[in-house]
Every structure is written in structure tokens, then in C-alpha cells.
Amino acid sequence: MRQDGLYWGPMTQPRVVPVPCLSDNYAYLVHLPGSTDTLVVDPSEPGPVEAALAQHGLTLVGILATHHHMDHVGGNEALAASREGLPIVASKYDENRVPGVTKLVNDGDTFDIAGLHVRCITVPGHTLGAVSFVIGDAVFTGDTLFIGGCGRLFEGTPAQMYDSLCVRLAALPGDTRVYCGHEYTASNARFAAVVEPGNDAITKLAERAKAAGQNKEPTVPSTIAAELAHNPFMRVREPSYKARYGSDDPATVLGKVRAEKDNFRG
Ligand code: FE
Ligand code: ZN
């Protein structure tokens, strides 16, 4: 049975191909094994996405936008220009700020595209229109949840980011694969080690990021269970965080961790 319980049948999970873009962004091709129809999540720029489509013999049938920042949607219009009617999906909140958007979604919306079932979870905090897309056992979190970190609070409040990370995304099955918008894992792990020294999961994350960097490999995917173990922004209810940041309110703690990270040079 699928994890969302909608029907009985063989479990076929999507194949996800990370496409490095710009300096440290990831776009992702997402398709069913055996199908050449593919989605792309967050195409910052068209060139690397077109090259990956050609390399893997895939046909682009839709774009998903996690939020309106140009390093996530900068390739939308160029990719759509040569593909008439290409669906471009974004949050209703971003109706006027995602280039080329054709389909607006709200929290809990589901739709089928490229043979895949997509579920939308609104996750305000980094921006107010941020949305994560759950596709089978994978979630695409944009700049909301990074491996070992989270995005800056450009538009939302600490309470919104707490709800997005620690209530909404944390409720996904622990083995859900996490694909985020940037390769920030090494510096996130250095910060996490300062916040929570002695956490073995953070030490392991730092080692994994270092090895990946040396081999020029991406650190994605993570999992929800791994983030709950090593990500400071998902661990704000832990007693050591209450003590370090002097508050019993987890949203307040999250705001203080975020402010410390904003000034962290490590
Ligand atoms: Fe962003
Ligand atoms: Zn970004």
C-alpha cells in the first residue's frame, strides 16, 4: 500500500536525479522508473536541466516551484518556451511572483502528473508562499528544510517555521527521503556541532558532508528521521536547547537558534 493509503498496489517510488545549478542549488528530475515523463523541481536555470533531460532521455512534462526566489524559478520561462502548455505549479500565495505559473495549490492539495501522485504541504517561514511536495516516499523541501538546517526567515515568523518544520514536515514517515534546495550541509553541520556538542548524529553528519565534498558528491537525500536526530531546528524541544536558549517555548527557541545561525561564520 502506498504510504498515503490511497490504493493498494505495487509500491513504485520515484527516481530522483539531482541537477546541480548555479553555485550550490539543486533542481531535481523526478520520474517513475520505466517512464520517460519527468517533472523538474526548482529549475534555477535552464541549461543544466536541459542537459540532464537529454543525458537521461527524459521528457519534461511539468515544473514544481517550492517558492518564488529566482534561484528556484529562474529557469521556468525558458523551459516552458519550447514546450507549449507546460504546467508550472506553485502556491496560491505566489500567484503573482512565480514566473509562468499555470496551476496554484493550497495546503493538502493533491494532483497526478507524469504518472506520479503529488501532495502539497504549505510550509511558511522562509517565505510565506513556501510549499513542500510529497511524491511517494520523497519530499522536496526547497529552502524550508535543509540537511542539518533551515532557510532564513525572510518573510515568516519563528512560530510559522516551527510549525512547518517540527509539526508538518516532522509528521512525515521517518524513512521519507528529503531533497532540499541547496548544498549547505557542511556548514550546517559545523553550526549544529556548536549548538549541540556531543550529539553523535551531528558528528556523523559532519563526516558524511566532508566525504561528499571531497568526492564532489551531493549530500542529498537525507531522511526525516535523520533530520530529527541531527537538525538543530527540528530539535528545539530537546532539554539542552531549552537550557542553552533560556526558553520553554520551542518556537522562541527556534527563533533564537535561527538568529545565532544568521551570525555564524564557521
Ligand atoms: Fe529561497
Ligand atoms: Zn534558495
Side-chain angles (χ1 to χ4, degrees):
M1 200 173 91
R2 282 169 33 162
Q3 285 175 336
D4 58 14
L6 284 180
Y7 65 69
W8 292 86
M11 177 116 67
T12 308
Q13 300 299 357
R15 173 168 176 248
V16 179
V17 180
V19 181
C21 292
L22 304 177
S23 59
D24 51 31
N25 277 81
Y26 289 120
Y28 297 102
L29 304 183
V30 189
H31 74 106
L32 271 184
S35 168
T36 55
D37 283 357
T38 190
L39 299 175
V40 65
V41 179
D42 284 359
S44 333
E45 49 177 346
V49 174
E50 296 284 13
L53 290 168
Q55 182 194 340
H56 295 280
L58 295 170
T59 302
L60 183 61
V61 300
I63 295 176
L64 307 185
T66 62
H67 65 297
H68 73 286
H69 286 161
M70 282 310 285
D71 61 318
H72 298 258
V73 299
N76 284 8
E77 286 177 321
L79 290 168
S82 52
R83 297 172 176 91
E84 205 186 319
L86 187 74
I88 300 180
V89 181
S91 164
K92 173 91 173 78
Y93 189 92
D94 285 340
E95 183 167 10
N96 298 314
R97 53 183 199 176
V98 166
V101 63
T102 67
K103 179 182 172 65
L104 299 169
V105 295
N106 293 297
D107 187 44
D109 283 0
T110 62
F111 57 92
D112 292 290
I113 186 170
L116 299 163
H117 187 67
V118 180
R119 179 159 62 94
C120 307
I121 307 176
T122 52
V123 284
H126 176 65
T127 68
L128 289 175
V131 53
S132 290
F133 299 103
V134 179
I135 304 177
D137 71 346
V139 63
F140 298 86
T141 58
D143 291 356
T144 300
L145 172 61
F146 293 131
I147 303 182
C150 76
R152 287 177 187 253
L153 299 178
F154 286 125
E155 298 176 11
T157 63
Q160 284 176 314
M161 189 58 115
Y162 172 73
D163 188 60
S164 295
L165 290 176
C166 303
V167 179
R168 297 171 150 258
L169 292 174
L172 292 169
D175 59 359
T176 303
R177 292 178 283 161
V178 174
Y179 292 92
C180 59
H182 290 264
E183 182 59 64
Y184 291 159
T185 308
S187 74
N188 285 344
R190 285 193 290 275
F191 174 72
V194 171
V195 171
E196 199 181 346
N199 177 331
D200 290 346
I202 292 172
T203 308
K204 287 200 184 94
L205 179 67
E207 287 166 0
R208 187 160 87 74
K210 195 172 168 197
Q214 284 167 352
N215 299 326
K216 303 228 181 315
E217 286 169 358
T219 56
V220 286
S222 182
T223 64
I224 292 292
E227 293 312 306
L228 289 167
H230 66 218
N231 190 318
F233 299 93
M234 293 188 92
R235 296 178 57 74
V236 291
R237 281 171 292 206
E238 295 292 314
S240 69
Y241 287 68
K242 291 182 183 177
R244 178 180 169 89
Y245 294 97
S247 173
D248 278 335
D249 172 48
T252 301
V253 173
L254 187 146
K256 291 185 174 196
V257 181
R258 186 60 260 176
E260 186 178 354
K261 177 74 163 68
D262 289 347
N263 296 310
F264 180 72
R265 300 281 174 271

